Amino acid sequence: MNVITLTLLHPDRLTPVQHWTFNDGSTVRVGRSTDNQVVLYSAVVSRYHAEIRRVNSSWELVSLGANGTYYEGKRISQVPIRDGMIFRLARSGPNLQIHLGRPDPALLKRASESTRIPAQAVSNTVAYHGEDDKTQLLQPSKIGLTSKTTMDSSQSSYASANPDPCTIGQYHSIKLLSRGKMGVTYVGQYAGEAVLLKTLHSSWLNHPEALSLFERQAKLLRSLNHPGLPRWCDFFRVDGQPFLVTELIAGRTLFHHILERGKVDLKQAVDWMIEVCEILDYLHAQALPVLHQDIRPSNIICRSHSTSSYQLALVDFGGVRGLSLDKLAATYLAPEQKFGQATVLSDLYAIGTTLSFLISGQPPHLFYRQWQQDYRFSPDLIPGLLPELVEVLYRLTEPNPNDRYQSAREVEAALRSLV
């Protein structure tokens, strides 16, 4: 049989999300790079992660990625393919099912009705204000979900109460954009303008601290006015469920920029971080200093077009997500944040780990080690860095906040000296 179909499965329900059918050819490659036949953006997926090869009259699955490919819970290097088998990219990555032949039309129908966003992103993407580094980008032309499936009642308690999920309050043409551990994000329209609507995941609606932090974040954003921050639009509740509305920033997160194009040169990385320092200088200079608390590449959007004087936008203040932060995301953050003791110097720490990702293309957890009495980020483990850059990164990421640069302006000056 020459036809083979790959089906991306929902990570929790294992229902079909998207299909790729191949009528001829002897190889189907899966990975992060855009020259694969199946492109999946995830922090754990390698550029070329797995390959399905035709061998005489049968097919075999071959693992290529550094994080491994898993079948029936075991890491494999090469296995023969059976119709309907499910394999996973890395221990925590996407699940894919293989069908020998075309998929059942009922599966295609269920996939088209899924509320999961497409996994394959192309140019002209919209970067939503994300939850974590595993979330996806979305092509604007592909977010046209039907009104019956725009919201999943298991994710939004409002959806089950609202007879027309295409509207929320005064906002219409609502479409699901993303779901994460803490929140759900939609894109909608109001007065001809596209906006983002964010709310808490239904599992957190009975969590008083999460509700309080979410409302505090909304009030905080309303008080700020800077071209490097998303513009506040509205905050309201429907049946007790809070919604924060902000402008929709078209562009791509720095995380996805690096995943797609690879690491950038020092000048580009420094230019970006200088912009972030300028935004932080504004935040920290407020009468009551405003902390971001979650600076990392997936929370920095590089605008695709804008009249703003800033190329970047710093999004997703981390107060709420701090209640549920995955381990890889936490490696960007200062050690004192694990104990709920964030300060302005904690934001500066994350400049260092973010810069390391931009210039190495590797997540910062790879560069931690035991050092004297501390387990610390160690930039000398990153190959090929200039000594001056290593020195700046060391000072940015000192475990003791008093040993770091003491202001965003100090960091900016140190970065400018590098280029």
Side-chain angles (χ1 to χ4, degrees), residues 226-229 272-285 300 310 312-314 317 408:
H226 190 280
L229 298 171
W272 280 339
M273 290 301 94
I274 285 174
E275 276 206 13
V276 174
C277 284
E278 292 174 351
I279 300 169
L280 287 179
D281 184 52
Y282 167 80
L283 293 174
H284 297 168
I300 304 170
Y310 277 70
L312 301 183
L314 185 58
F317 288 67

Coordinates of all heavy atoms in Angstrom, one line a residue, residues 226-229 272-285 300 310 312-314 317 408:
H226 N 3.2 52.0 27.5 CA 4.5 51.9 26.9 C 4.4 51.2 25.6 O 3.7 50.2 25.5 CB 5.5 51.2 27.8 CG 6.9 51.3 27.4 ND1 7.4 50.5 26.4 CD2 7.9 52.1 27.8 CE1 8.7 50.8 26.3 NE2 9.0 51.7 27.1
P227 N 5.1 51.7 24.5 CA 5.0 51.0 23.2 C 5.5 49.6 23.2 O 5.3 48.8 22.2 CB 5.8 51.9 22.3 CG 6.7 52.7 23.2 CD 5.9 52.9 24.5
G228 N 6.3 49.2 24.2 CA 6.8 47.8 24.2 C 5.9 46.9 25.0 O 6.3 45.7 25.3
L229 N 4.7 47.3 25.4 CA 3.8 46.5 26.2 C 2.4 46.4 25.4 O 2.1 47.4 24.7 CB 3.5 47.1 27.6 CG 4.7 47.2 28.5 CD1 4.4 48.0 29.7 CD2 5.3 45.8 28.9
W272 N 18.0 43.1 20.8 CA 16.7 42.7 21.3 C 16.7 42.9 22.8 O 15.7 43.4 23.4 CB 16.4 41.3 21.0 CG 15.9 41.1 19.6 CD1 15.3 42.0 18.8 CD2 15.9 39.8 18.8 NE1 14.9 41.4 17.6 CE2 15.3 40.1 17.6 CE3 16.4 38.6 19.1 CZ2 15.1 39.1 16.6 CZ3 16.2 37.6 18.1 CH2 15.6 37.9 16.9
M273 N 17.7 42.5 23.5 CA 17.7 42.6 24.9 C 17.8 44.0 25.4 O 17.4 44.3 26.5 CB 18.9 41.7 25.5 CG 18.7 40.2 25.4 SD 17.2 39.6 26.2 CE 16.0 39.6 24.8
I274 N 18.4 44.9 24.7 CA 18.5 46.3 25.0 C 17.0 46.8 25.0 O 16.6 47.6 25.9 CB 19.4 47.1 24.1 CG1 20.9 46.8 24.4 CG2 19.1 48.6 24.1 CD1 21.8 47.4 23.4
E275 N 16.2 46.5 24.0 CA 14.8 46.9 24.0 C 14.1 46.4 25.3 O 13.3 47.1 25.9 CB 14.1 46.4 22.8 CG 14.3 47.2 21.5 CD 13.2 47.1 20.5 OE1 12.1 46.5 20.9 OE2 13.3 47.6 19.4
V276 N 14.4 45.1 25.6 CA 13.7 44.6 26.8 C 14.1 45.3 28.1 O 13.3 45.6 28.9 CB 14.0 43.1 27.0 CG1 13.5 42.5 28.3 CG2 13.4 42.3 25.8
C277 N 15.4 45.7 28.1 CA 15.9 46.5 29.3 C 15.2 47.8 29.3 O 14.9 48.3 30.4 CB 17.4 46.7 29.1 SG 18.4 45.3 29.6
E278 N 15.0 48.5 28.2 CA 14.3 49.8 28.2 C 12.8 49.6 28.7 O 12.3 50.5 29.4 CB 14.3 50.3 26.8 CG 15.7 50.8 26.3 CD 15.7 51.2 24.9 OE1 14.7 51.0 24.2 OE2 16.8 51.7 24.4
I279 N 12.2 48.5 28.3 CA 10.8 48.3 28.8 C 10.9 48.0 30.3 O 10.0 48.5 31.1 CB 10.2 47.1 28.1 CG1 10.1 47.3 26.6 CG2 8.8 46.8 28.6 CD1 9.7 46.1 25.7
L280 N 11.8 47.2 30.8 CA 12.0 47.0 32.2 C 12.3 48.2 33.0 O 11.8 48.4 34.1 CB 13.1 45.9 32.5 CG 12.7 44.5 32.1 CD1 13.9 43.6 32.4 CD2 11.5 44.0 32.9
D281 N 13.1 49.1 32.4 CA 13.4 50.4 33.1 C 12.1 51.1 33.3 O 11.9 51.7 34.4 CB 14.4 51.2 32.2 CG 14.8 52.4 32.9 OD1 15.3 52.3 34.1 OD2 14.7 53.5 32.3
Y282 N 11.2 51.1 32.4 CA 9.9 51.8 32.5 C 9.1 51.1 33.6 O 8.6 51.8 34.5 CB 9.1 51.8 31.2 CG 7.7 52.2 31.3 CD1 7.3 53.5 31.4 CD2 6.7 51.2 31.4 CE1 6.0 53.8 31.6 CE2 5.4 51.5 31.5 CZ 5.0 52.8 31.6 OH 3.7 53.2 31.8
L283 N 9.0 49.8 33.6 CA 8.2 49.1 34.6 C 8.8 49.3 36.0 O 8.1 49.5 37.0 CB 8.2 47.6 34.3 CG 7.5 47.2 33.0 CD1 7.7 45.7 32.7 CD2 6.0 47.5 33.1
H284 N 10.1 49.2 36.1 CA 10.7 49.3 37.5 C 10.7 50.7 38.0 O 10.9 50.9 39.2 CB 12.2 48.7 37.4 CG 12.2 47.3 37.1 ND1 13.4 46.6 36.7 CD2 11.3 46.3 37.0 CE1 13.2 45.4 36.5 NE2 11.9 45.1 36.6
A285 N 10.5 51.7 37.1 CA 10.6 53.1 37.6 C 9.2 53.6 38.0 O 9.1 54.7 38.5 CB 11.1 54.0 36.4
I300 N 8.3 37.2 24.6 CA 8.8 38.4 23.9 C 8.4 38.2 22.4 O 8.8 37.2 21.8 CB 10.3 38.5 24.0 CG1 10.7 38.6 25.5 CG2 10.7 39.8 23.3 CD1 12.2 38.5 25.8
Y310 N 9.0 50.4 18.9 CA 9.7 49.2 19.5 C 9.4 48.0 18.5 O 8.2 47.7 18.2 CB 9.2 48.9 20.9 CG 9.9 49.7 21.9 CD1 9.7 51.1 22.1 CD2 10.8 49.1 22.8 CE1 10.3 51.8 23.0 CE2 11.5 49.8 23.7 CZ 11.2 51.2 23.8 OH 11.9 51.9 24.8
L312 N 10.0 45.0 19.6 CA 9.6 43.9 20.5 C 8.4 44.3 21.3 O 8.2 45.5 21.6 CB 10.7 43.4 21.4 CG 12.0 42.9 20.7 CD1 13.0 42.5 21.8 CD2 11.7 41.8 19.7
A313 N 7.6 43.3 21.8 CA 6.6 43.6 22.8 C 6.8 42.5 23.9 O 7.0 41.3 23.6 CB 5.2 43.5 22.2
L314 N 6.8 43.0 25.2 CA 7.0 42.1 26.3 C 5.6 41.8 26.8 O 4.8 42.7 27.2 CB 7.8 42.8 27.4 CG 8.2 42.0 28.6 CD1 8.9 40.8 28.3 CD2 9.0 42.9 29.6
F317 N 2.7 39.0 31.9 CA 3.3 39.1 33.2 C 3.0 37.8 34.0 O 2.0 37.2 33.8 CB 2.6 40.3 34.0 CG 3.1 41.6 33.4 CD1 2.7 42.0 32.1 CD2 3.8 42.4 34.2 CE1 3.2 43.3 31.7 CE2 4.3 43.7 33.7 CZ 3.9 44.1 32.5
A408 N 18.1 48.0 35.3 CA 18.0 47.7 33.9 C 18.9 48.6 33.1 O 19.5 48.2 32.1 CB 16.5 47.9 33.4

